[in-house]
DNA sequence: GCGGACTGCTTACCT
DNA sequence: ACAGGTAAGCAGTCCGCG
């Protein structure tokens, strides 16, 4: 590892990561230098060592033979910690080791296993280092080589402070302090970064089988490296059977010419040299393919470890200097998928994500790489790199900025943020807060045994506690419907009720009377709950500062965009804050807390419904945190808002105004037409990603017809148009006028085919047929199939023909899809279908 | 041996 | 490895039925 000397003068660098240098037994901080556009490595100079905690005295620890004789043992040191579970100060002992594996991680004989009880022994060392040194990844530091990096303090813009000032009045000092330090952290500017995207191709004869990167048996055919600094390169291996030709590919604003290499090792070295130039490298699946393949291929060809700028982890690949971001892992993350990208892509493949976010898919073709000419490979490989870079740079580098913001909130290294999901981010945030305040991080088993289980029973078999209320919709058409909902109900409930793992069923006798509704659970009156404090301050910042600022037209666009990224990142944390508390794998898992949140949520929604009825408003539907109000007078809406704040301290806002809503008898299923005629579709089959395209198209035509309806009379006209549409769809189906692809169901296979042991669903049957034909399939792949006549009933689209299509099955689909809307409108499609059938036979 | 009633599995959705 | 609630379709099983 190259390490910076101490001669440079003070520079402003951004801390992006901390890694552990095994041979040196040290944490190494990775800083980004915005002026030089490169990464600077600074090793720890404090002598920080890995440790865990014990409740034994230092003397007692030293009496444990295995520990003092442990080759990795370093020293013991007494420390005071406050235990939130018992609300008592404890005298604990820090047991230090020379390397993280000696604390824990070896199959046997680790120090944590030799202690009768160990605390904080499962935290990755890099994270320990960040927390203990009070580091803030994503922040700017002043580095002058001699002294330890000092954080540069920013003051948030005055307008931000003003917005919060009012809210902070009357709040306790701890809360004010928390909010201010968050603002300081989140409002820092994000530096401009140079990013390169890498994609490689391998000379593998099979197109359906991905080359095994652990073996790296076949030669690397090419590498495309596109970057934001315009240094775009396409490196290519010369093959004995093909004469090099000169060509030019236009990409990323420049004309790219192939650079041929006679020798594969030279090619690899050139790739490595290029990779080492960049502070940030993005790939799509680089953790499991591109970087691993390059590393292992180079090793196989006897390139020395020192020459390879890549280090391999168990299921990831890091760059020795730069920051590697695997977009596949990040975009696969459910929170990112839903809250950051609004669920616009469903399948996480480069092609699908590229199409959905950029309108740019992969170059299509089934030819194996060795059968392609140089130019074909170039088009293919460069396109993949283009999509990868495009995904990172779109919307003014939204993705990278989001990663940076999640890094700041979670206190994790950037690479770790990308690889982990929201529960790890929240875990890190929580542990950091415990450390900073001198609180002992509780052991999960202690939380569980002290707090006990749940007292309610879930509706769904196998779930742990009762969730939200969903009202029975009043079926039919309702004009002028206003939807009101609570602004982040569950985080608000956590905030206003002081909920946290330590405050719910706290140890104080005098708090026991402070019951949560009519449950046996109580909540602490003496302490401010840590979860409540953290979630509450993040919520207030999002609602009062960053969301409004991101929409403030008087601000310059780049500033608004920064606030929008902050707002999105906060949303991710807030939305998951309740869920993790009910997730067994979360280290602060606390069933009574999770249960109390939904319990309070149910109470609040029921009360809101009561209140609306009391005001004479009819509630036609509601789900979890929302009510659908029919024809509510404006003054009553205001009364409800006021009621919500006064009664529960939670904001209730108007979310939508529907010109009309169509409800069937089903919950979570409706069509709402907004003032502008656009339709909001929820839950209906016609909207599902698995529904055949021809059905969806017809369904959207139906919605278009409904969008034109302005009043009750309009429905009569619409009804006949809809009938016409239905019979036209049926006619085309019977005449075989739809393309096979449009008849296909598209269903995600969530696991490998052999993991379906209990039943074999239709899409798995099809997947097995495909596998028999030599197609390689993985969990997460979308299976496209049509319904055919015969025993199996289904076939892959590619392997079927119009003759086999089971038209009656498709008739059922049309009926049920249309039926979901039409039965509420009083249109009987069953009749239509039959009439059509008759006329068809005539 | 076959079909209807039932349960359970699976996916996709909503909040 | 964030939660629970709902809809839909199909797989598989049980039971009755000359």
């Amino acid at each position: 590892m190259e390490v910076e000397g101490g001669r440079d003068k003070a520079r402003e660098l951004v801390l992006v990561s901390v890694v552990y240098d095994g041979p040196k037994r040290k944490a190494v901080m990775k800083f980004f230098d915005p002026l030089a556009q490169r990464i600077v490595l600074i090793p720890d100079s404090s002598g920080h060592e890995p440790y865990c905690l014990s409740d034994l005295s230092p003397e007692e620890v030293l009496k444990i033979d295995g520990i003092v004789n442990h080759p990795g043992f370093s020293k013991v040191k007494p420390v005071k910690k406050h235990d939130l579970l018992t609300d008592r100060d404890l005298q604990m002992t820090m047991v230090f080791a020379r390397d993280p594996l000696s604390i824990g991680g070896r199959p046997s004989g680790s120090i944590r296993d030799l202690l009768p009880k160990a605390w904080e022994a499962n935290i990755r060392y890099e994270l320990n280092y960040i927390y203990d040194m009070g580091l803030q990844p994503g922040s700017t530091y002043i580095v002058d080589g001699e002294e330890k990096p000092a954080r540069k303090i920013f003051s948030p813009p005055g307008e931000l402070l003003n917005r919060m000032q009012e809210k902070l009045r009357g709040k306790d000092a701890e809360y004010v302090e928390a909010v201010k330090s968050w603002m300081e952290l989140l409002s820092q500017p994000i530096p401009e970064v140079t990013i390169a995207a890498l994609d490689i191709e391998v000379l593998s004869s099979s197109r359906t089988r991905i080359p095994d990167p652990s073996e790296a048996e076949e030669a690397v055919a090419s590498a495309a490296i596109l970057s934001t600094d315009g240094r775009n390169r396409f490196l290519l291996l010369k093959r004995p059977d093909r004469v090099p030709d000169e060509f030019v590919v236009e990409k990323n604003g420049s004309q790219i010419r192939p650079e041929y290499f006679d020798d594969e090792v030279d090619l690899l070295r050139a790739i490595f040299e290029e990779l080492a130039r960049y502070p940030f490298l993005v790939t799509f699946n680089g953790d499991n393919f591109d970087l691993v393949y390059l590393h292992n291929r180079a090793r196989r060809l006897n390139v020395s470890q020192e020459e390879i700028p890549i280090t391999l982890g168990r299921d990831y690949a890091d760059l020795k200097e730069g920051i590697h971001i695997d977009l596949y892992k990040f975009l696969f993350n459910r929170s990112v998928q839903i809250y950051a990208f609004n669920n616009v892509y469903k399948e996480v493949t480069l092609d699908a994500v590229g199409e959905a976010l950029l309108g740019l898919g992969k170059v299509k073709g089934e030819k194996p790489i060795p059968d392609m000419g140089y130019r074909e490979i170039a088009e293919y490989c460069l396109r993949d790199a283009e999509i990868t870079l495009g995904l990172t740079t779109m919307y003014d580098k939204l993705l990278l900025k989001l990663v940076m913001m999640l890094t700041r909130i979670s206190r994790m290294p950037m690479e770790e943020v990308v690889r982990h999901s929201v529960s790890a981010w929240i875990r890190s945030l929580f542990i950091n807060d415990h450390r900073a305040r001198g609180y002992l991080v509780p052991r999960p088993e202690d939380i569980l045994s002290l707090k006990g289980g749940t007292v309610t029973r879930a509706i769904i078999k196998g779930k742990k506690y009762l969730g939200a209320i969903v009202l029975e919709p009043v079926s039919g058409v309702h004009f002028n419907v206003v939807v009101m909902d609570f602004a982040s109900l569950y985080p608000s409930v956590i905030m206003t009720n002081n909920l946290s793992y330590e405050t719910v069923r706290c140890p104080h006798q005098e708090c026991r009377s402070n019951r949560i509704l009519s449950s046996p659970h109580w909540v602490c009156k003496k302490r401010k709950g840590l979860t409540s404090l953290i979630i509450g301050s993040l919520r207030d910042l999002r609602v009062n500062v960053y969301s409004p600022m991101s929409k403030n037209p008087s601000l310059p666009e780049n500033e608004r965009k920064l606030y929008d990224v902050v707002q999105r990142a906060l949303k991710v944390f807030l939305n998951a804050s309740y869920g993790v508390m009910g997730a067994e794998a979360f280290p602060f898992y606390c069933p009574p807390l999770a249960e109390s949140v939904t319990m309070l949520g149910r109470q609040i929604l029921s009360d809101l419904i009561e209140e609306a009825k009391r005001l004479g408003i009819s509630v036609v539907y509601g789900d979890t945190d929302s009510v659908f109000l029919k024809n509510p007078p404006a003054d009553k809406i205001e009364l409800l808002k006021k009621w919500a704040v006064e009664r529960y301290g939670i904001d209730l806002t108007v979310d939508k105004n529907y010109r009309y809503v169509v409800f069937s008898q089903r919950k979570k299923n409706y069509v709402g037409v907004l003032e502008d005629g656009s339709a909001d579709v929820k839950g209906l089959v016609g909207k599902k990603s698995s529904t055949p395209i021809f059905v969806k198209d017809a369904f959207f035509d139906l919605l278009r017809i409904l969008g034109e309806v302005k009043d009750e009379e309009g429905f009569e006209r619409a009804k006949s148009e809809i009938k016409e549409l239905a019979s036209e769809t049926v006619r085309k189906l019977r005449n075989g006028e739809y393309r096979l692809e449009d008849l296909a169901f598209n269903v995600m296979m969530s696991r490998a085919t052999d993991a379906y042991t209990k039943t074999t669903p239709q899409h798995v049957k099809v997947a097995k047929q495909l596998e028999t034909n030599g197609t390689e399939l993985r969990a997460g792949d979308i299976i496209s199939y049509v319904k055919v006549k015969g025993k199996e009933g289904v076939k892959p689209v590619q392997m079927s023909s119009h003759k086999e299509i089971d038209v009656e099955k498709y008739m059922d689909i049309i009926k049920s899809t249309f039926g979901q809307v039409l039965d509420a409108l009083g249109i009987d499609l069953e009749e239509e279908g039959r009439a059509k059938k008759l006329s068809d036979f005539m």
Side-chain angles (χ1 to χ4, degrees):
Chain A
M1 259 187 218
E2 191 191 327
V3 165
E4 281 292 298
R7 272 157 281 124
D8 308 71
K9 57 179 189 296
R11 288 169 298 173
E12 290 190 3
L13 309 180
V14 179
L15 178 66
V16 284
S17 180
V18 174
V19 293
Y20 181 69
D21 183 338
K24 292 208 179 77
R25 292 184 173 183
K26 269 180 185 197
V28 177
M29 292 172 277
K30 284 189 179 181
F31 285 92
F32 168 61
D33 182 344
L35 287 180
Q37 286 294 325
R38 49 176 302 226
I39 297 292
V40 177
L41 303 179
I42 301 183
D44 170 64
S45 56
S46 73
H48 186 277
E49 282 184 325
Y51 65 89
C52 64
L53 295 165
S54 167
D55 54 350
L56 302 179
S57 68
E59 296 72 34
E60 285 170 317
V61 172
L62 291 175
K63 273 188 213 142
I64 302 173
D65 276 353
I67 290 184
V68 270
N69 299 326
H70 195 285
F73 173 75
S74 168
K75 61 179 184 238
V76 288
K77 191 182 149 195
V79 66
K80 271 207 170 61
K81 289 274 178 182
H82 187 80
D83 179 20
L84 289 176
L85 284 178
T86 55
D87 198 13
R88 278 208 297 258
D89 284 329
L90 297 180
Q91 188 58 57
M92 314 265 312
T93 300
M94 296 168 91
V95 185
F96 289 90
R98 294 197 176 84
D99 62 291
L101 280 181
S102 294
I103 293 291
R106 294 216 175 85
S108 67
S110 297
I111 288 173
R112 70 170 178 212
D113 301 324
L114 297 169
L115 291 165
K117 277 181 175 181
W119 279 260
E120 309 191 13
N122 295 314
I123 307 166
R124 278 181 76 94
Y125 179 65
E126 303 89 299
L127 296 179
N128 266 315
Y129 186 80
I130 291 170
Y131 309 146
D132 286 340
M133 306 304 279
L135 295 175
Q136 289 188 358
S139 282
T140 302
Y141 282 75
I142 298 164
V143 179
D144 89 2
E146 300 296 329
E147 286 168 52
K148 145 177 179 217
R151 206 163 61 74
K152 183 180 174 184
I153 304 297
F154 287 83
S155 64
E159 199 181 341
L160 262 68
L161 288 168
N162 289 343
R163 277 179 184 274
M164 215 49 217
Q165 217 68 57
E166 232 173 276
K167 294 281 164 185
L168 292 179
R169 211 163 292 148
K171 296 280 172 76
D172 53 283
E174 195 180 22
Y175 177 83
V176 173
E177 188 45 47
V179 165
K180 283 194 171 157
S181 69
W182 277 118
M183 275 175 103
E184 200 270 315
L185 174 64
L186 298 177
S187 304
Q188 291 186 28
I190 291 180
E192 276 303 319
V193 296
T194 307
I195 307 161
L198 165 78
D199 182 67
I200 67 164
E201 301 302 330
V202 170
L203 283 173
S204 157
S205 49
S206 166
R207 202 51 212 283
T208 51
R209 220 162 293 278
I210 301 144
D212 181 357
S214 61
E215 295 298 329
E217 278 174 329
E218 290 137 324
V220 171
S222 71
I225 300 160
L226 300 182
S227 66
T228 54
D229 66 358
R231 253 184 78 87
N232 305 310
R233 295 186 70 189
F234 181 62
L235 313 176
L236 195 49
L237 182 66
K238 234 187 257 176
R239 282 179 282 152
D241 56 327
R242 288 187 192 254
V243 186
D245 52 347
E246 290 308 317
F247 56 85
V248 172
V249 179
E250 291 268 354
K251 263 293 110 89
N252 197 24
S254 72
Q255 300 196 323
I256 305 170
R257 289 166 212 283
E259 299 169 48
Y260 288 97
F261 289 81
D262 290 306
D263 179 44
E264 198 192 347
V265 170
D266 290 342
L267 168 69
L268 292 171
R269 287 204 171 106
I271 297 171
F272 293 154
E273 208 173 295
E274 191 65 16
L275 294 186
R277 296 179 65 93
Y278 294 99
F280 295 90
L281 178 72
V282 288
T283 62
F284 196 89
N285 210 16
D287 274 341
N288 285 305
F289 185 70
D290 302 66
L291 291 184
V292 185
Y293 203 97
L294 287 175
H295 178 279
N296 291 344
R297 183 67 187 167
R299 291 297 292 142
R300 199 183 173 100
L301 300 177
N302 294 318
V303 176
S304 74
Q305 197 76 58
E306 289 72 50
E307 287 179 88
I308 307 172
I310 300 163
T311 52
L312 297 188
R314 203 165 55 186
D315 51 2
Y316 60 88
D318 270 340
L319 292 172
K320 283 178 184 166
E321 286 208 359
I323 303 292
H324 171 223
I325 291 174
D326 183 343
L327 293 189
Y328 173 74
K329 280 218 177 117
F330 190 63
L331 295 170
F332 195 83
N333 187 312
R334 286 257 308 162
S335 305
V336 173
Q337 217 168 116
I338 298 168
Y339 301 119
F341 293 106
N342 304 321
N343 231 347
V344 295
Y345 60 91
K346 301 273 149 42
E347 191 186 10
V348 192
T349 59
L350 189 58
D351 188 52
V353 180
E355 283 284 0
L357 292 172
L358 297 171
L360 185 66
K362 282 170 80 87
V363 174
K364 307 289 182 285
E366 299 287 307
K367 237 198 237 176
I369 299 288
D371 295 354
M372 288 186 188
Y374 293 125
R375 201 197 164 99
E376 267 180 290
I377 298 179
E379 297 282 356
Y380 193 86
C381 186
L382 279 163
R383 173 70 68 85
D384 284 4
E386 182 188 18
I387 302 170
T388 307
L389 188 64
L391 290 171
T392 320
T393 55
M394 64 178 180
Y395 312 129
D396 202 18
K397 297 182 186 159
L398 166 70
L399 190 143
L400 199 96
K401 289 179 177 176
L402 187 65
V403 173
M404 186 68 97
M405 216 49 87
L406 295 170
T407 297
R408 288 182 184 171
I409 303 174
S410 68
R411 318 281 166 143
M412 289 171 95
M414 269 181 97
E415 300 114 311
E416 291 281 305
V417 163
V418 174
R419 290 198 283 258
H420 291 100
S421 62
V422 67
S423 70
W425 304 340
I426 296 180
R427 175 183 68 202
S428 176
L429 162 62
F430 274 40
I431 295 178
N432 179 68
D433 233 84
H434 279 73
R435 279 279 166 84
R437 296 166 194 272
Y439 299 154
L440 179 68
V441 179
R443 305 188 310 160
E445 61 265 42
D446 292 339
I447 302 180
L448 214 52
S449 68
L450 228 75
K451 303 294 174 175
T454 53
V455 296
T456 54
R457 264 244 292 284
I459 292 172
I460 307 169
K461 220 191 218 171
K463 300 287 182 186
K464 292 163 290 196
Y465 56 91
L466 192 55
I469 294 175
V470 187
L471 297 187
E472 205 73 56
V474 178
S475 73
V477 185
H478 304 277
F479 279 85
N480 188 20
V481 169
V482 173
V483 183
M484 296 191 82
D485 64 6
F486 289 107
S488 29
L489 178 65
Y490 288 173
S492 301
V493 162
I494 291 174
M495 175 178 84
T496 57
N497 291 277
N498 195 29
L499 302 184
S500 193
Y501 76 86
E502 78 277 16
T503 51
V504 170
R505 304 182 71 93
C506 67
H508 317 111
Q509 199 56 45
E510 60 272 39
C511 298
R512 288 191 176 231
S513 59
N514 192 24
R515 291 295 168 91
I516 297 171
L517 303 174
S518 58
S519 78
H521 305 320
W522 64 92
V523 66
C524 189
K525 291 188 285 193
K526 301 177 71 172
R527 290 194 69 94
K528 176 80 189 160
L530 201 58
T531 309
S532 171
L533 175 69
I534 297 172
I535 299 306
S537 46
L538 294 182
R539 193 214 81 109
D540 279 351
L541 282 166
R542 174 161 188 266
V543 173
N544 299 313
V545 182
Y546 293 105
S547 284
M549 290 291 272
S550 73
K551 295 182 198 107
N552 187 344
S554 66
L555 291 175
E557 198 185 335
N558 61 338
E559 211 172 306
R560 277 205 316 257
K561 277 186 175 161
L562 175 71
Y563 297 141
D564 187 55
V565 177
V566 178
Q567 178 270 121
R568 279 167 194 261
L570 289 172
K571 186 176 175 182
V572 170
F573 278 79
L574 293 173
N575 277 319
S577 62
Y578 142 74
V580 293
M581 296 302 168
E584 276 155 277
F586 185 62
F588 298 89
Y589 172 53
C590 183
L593 165 50
E595 177 181 56
S596 300
V597 174
T598 59
M599 199 183 289
L600 285 156
R602 289 194 300 275
Q603 178 68 40
I604 293 169
L605 188 71
S606 318
D607 274 4
L608 172 62
I609 295 163
E610 283 283 296
E611 187 62 16
K613 284 183 181 158
R614 210 182 58 79
L615 292 171
I617 308 169
S618 95
V619 178
V620 286
Y621 180 59
D623 185 348
T624 311
D625 60 355
S626 67
V627 281
F628 288 54
L629 307 173
K630 185 165 180 168
N631 252 324
D635 57 326
K636 303 241 164 123
I637 291 179
E638 291 311 310
L639 285 176
L640 277 178
K641 286 183 184 171
K642 226 175 112 209
W643 171 86
V645 173
E646 281 169 9
R647 177 73 183 80
Y648 285 108
I650 300 177
D651 294 328
L652 180 70
T653 56
V654 171
D655 182 33
K656 269 162 189 163
N657 282 293
Y658 287 123
R659 190 193 286 162
Y660 66 92
V661 184
V662 182
F663 286 121
S664 62
Q665 296 90 322
R666 303 163 187 84
K667 296 173 174 183
K668 298 186 189 278
N669 265 262
Y670 61 87
V671 180
V673 174
L674 294 157
E675 298 299 347
D676 65 359
S678 64
D680 240 354
V681 187
K682 299 291 175 183
L684 304 184
V685 174
K687 193 199 179 182
K688 294 203 174 188
S689 57
S690 50
T691 303
I693 290 172
F694 90 98
V695 181
K696 277 200 209 180
D697 283 348
F699 188 73
F700 274 90
D701 285 340
L702 182 148
L703 293 180
R704 206 179 26 73
I705 296 169
L706 286 180
E708 279 156 23
V709 175
K710 297 259 175 349
D711 45 38
E712 318 262 358
E713 291 88 69
F715 270 112
E716 289 315 309
R717 234 171 309 120
K719 278 182 189 176
S720 65
E721 271 187 70
I722 291 169
K723 284 180 185 174
E724 188 56 41
L725 170 67
S727 47
E728 178 63 7
T729 307
V730 170
R731 187 191 64 76
K732 280 173 133 177
L733 171 68
R734 292 201 178 278
N735 287 351
E737 288 179 30
Y738 292 114
R739 297 181 311 163
L740 281 175
E741 307 92 88
D742 293 346
L743 295 176
F745 289 81
N746 304 290
V747 178
M748 160 119 40
M749 193 171 66
S750 65
R751 33 194 206 251
T753 45
D754 54 9
Y756 291 84
T757 51
K758 296 187 170 114
T759 57
T760 310
Q762 295 196 319
H763 65 293
V764 180
K765 270 187 199 159
V766 173
K768 285 183 171 167
Q769 293 178 43
L770 285 168
E771 282 177 343
T772 318
N773 269 270
T775 309
E776 195 169 274
L777 293 171
R778 288 193 302 176
D781 284 344
I782 303 247
I783 310 296
S784 293
Y785 63 91
V786 291
K787 305 227 176 198
V788 294
K789 290 173 271 190
K791 188 161 64 72
E792 286 277 280
V794 283
K795 255 190 171 181
V797 214
Q798 314 91 296
M799 292 159 59
S800 54
S801 66
H802 269 102
K803 293 196 300 288
E804 313 167 85
I805 295 299
D806 186 346
V807 174
E808 294 313 312
K809 275 276 188 308
Y810 281 95
M811 285 296 294
D812 292 341
I813 306 295
I814 296 174
K815 271 183 222 163
S816 63
T817 307
F818 275 54
Q820 284 190 337
V821 178
L822 301 188
D823 58 2
L825 298 176
I827 303 175
D828 189 352
L829 194 79
E830 192 58 37
E831 237 167 60
E832 296 304 308
R834 217 162 269 152
K836 214 59 234 167
K837 243 189 248 175
L838 276 176
S839 66
D840 269 359
F841 283 115
M842 291 197 297

